[in-house]
Amino acid sequence: SQQGEEDPQALSIQEGENATMNCSYKTSINNLQWYRQNSGRGLVHLILIRSNEREKHSGRLRVTLDTSKKSSSLLITASRAADTASYFCATDAPLNTDKLIFGTGTRLQVFP
Amino acid sequence: DAGITQSPRHKVTETGTPVTLRCHQTENHRYMYWYRQDPGHGLRLIHYSYGVKDTDKGEVSDGYSVSRSKTEDFLLTLESATSSQTSVYFCAIRDGLAGNLQETQYFGPGTRLLVL
């Protein structure tokens, strides 16, 4: 079963607006990652946050992690049309950190 | 794309035929993974390898086998393809050495498989 569930499933915004995606997971984790997938392409790693971190930034990306609620959020600020993609959270699997378990993704559409 | 290629990129086959997908890396990474991606399910792990000849099952391994005879190649075989195995298959690699990027996976471009 999926470890991570993203919310919302789909999000449409205008360029310049901020986009927030949420991820919930079920079991304790060592780290949580966010990946982006452009249509017809493979996934690309965006950012990793460890279980002892609460917030992390990378350019226009801001990730938060709340281990007490087993949830994470990805904020993309000042979105651009090029941010249009699907975004997935991934957590390390229980008892086996060699494996990742991916959520079902949020499809983001940014209109120019 | 981090030195990962997948072949073929597209394949149409018939139910009951064997199919082998190849993942090739030039990064000398230890770990290699096969995922399938289906609408509504995200990515699901089929099998992965943690070294030459060392493999383990993922969450959807039934009907699939893998082999890794050398570091750079990881083969996924559908012994007898079924329509339920129609999907997009992604290979990924991971270094796994100490450092900030040890958990990061790098993905290939994918293989679209249609089983009729």
Side-chain angles (χ1 to χ4, degrees):
Chain A
S1 62
Q2 298 298 138
Q3 164 78 308
E5 297 290 338
E6 281 93 339
D7 169 57
Q9 291 186 344
L11 179 62
S12 295
I13 59 175
Q14 296 290 132
E15 262 190 333
E17 295 180 339
N18 295 340
T20 299
M21 289 157 267
N22 302 295
C23 169
S24 60
Y25 56 92
K26 299 175 183 174
T27 64
S28 62
I29 61 172
N30 294 298
N31 62 73
L32 183 145
Q33 303 181 49
W34 285 91
Y35 287 78
R36 183 187 73 220
Q37 183 181 33
N38 290 90
S39 181
R41 305 289 295 273
L43 277 71
V44 175
H45 178 260
L46 293 176
I47 194 166
L48 177 150
I49 186 166
R50 301 193 184 279
S51 60
N52 62 353
E53 298 175 310
R54 291 297 167 259
E55 187 171 314
K56 202 163 184 179
H57 297 255
S58 177
R60 294 184 295 112
L61 304 181
R62 173 179 168 251
V63 170
T64 62
L65 179 64
D66 187 334
T67 53
S68 67
K69 295 181 179 178
K70 293 185 170 60
S71 67
S72 173
S73 67
L74 171 67
L75 168 67
I76 304 174
T77 60
S79 64
R80 306 166 181 167
D83 294 328
T84 293
S86 291
Y87 293 82
F88 296 87
C89 67
T91 57
D92 51 328
L95 304 179
N96 187 337
T97 56
D98 287 341
K99 298 195 276 191
L100 288 180
I101 301 179
F102 285 84
T104 51
T106 292
R107 183 183 297 275
L108 173 66
Q109 175 81 51
V110 182
F111 292 100
Chain B
D1 285 319
I4 310 169
T5 57
Q6 293 185 229
S7 58
R9 295 292 314 279
H10 303 270
K11 186 169 183 66
V12 180
T13 191
E14 294 185 348
T15 298
T17 60
V19 176
T20 296
L21 309 182
R22 180 182 183 234
C23 178
H24 179 77
Q25 61 147 330
T26 58
E27 306 295 324
N28 201 35
H29 282 359
R30 176 184 175 189
Y31 295 86
M32 299 185 75
Y33 302 81
W34 276 109
Y35 294 90
R36 60 177 291 173
Q37 185 174 33
D38 306 286
H41 290 279
L43 268 77
R44 293 180 292 174
L45 181 65
I46 304 171
H47 284 280
Y48 76 103
S49 169
Y50 49 96
V52 174
K53 298 192 189 304
D54 293 323
T55 65
D56 201 358
K57 295 179 180 180
E59 61 179 309
V60 290
S61 59
D62 288 348
Y64 302 95
S65 63
V66 290
S67 67
R68 191 169 178 200
S69 60
K70 45 187 177 177
T71 300
E72 56 266 37
D73 289 325
F74 192 33
L75 303 180
L76 176 70
T77 297
L78 291 64
E79 300 291 346
S80 179
T82 67
S83 58
S84 65
Q85 293 175 313
T86 291
S87 187
V88 182
Y89 291 85
F90 287 98
C91 174
I93 63 174
R94 181 171 73 93
D95 192 354
L97 298 176
N100 287 334
L101 298 177
Q102 61 173 309
E103 296 97 341
T104 300
Q105 293 191 15
Y106 301 92
F107 284 78
T111 294
R112 290 186 174 274
L113 176 66
L114 174 61
V115 184
L116 300 174

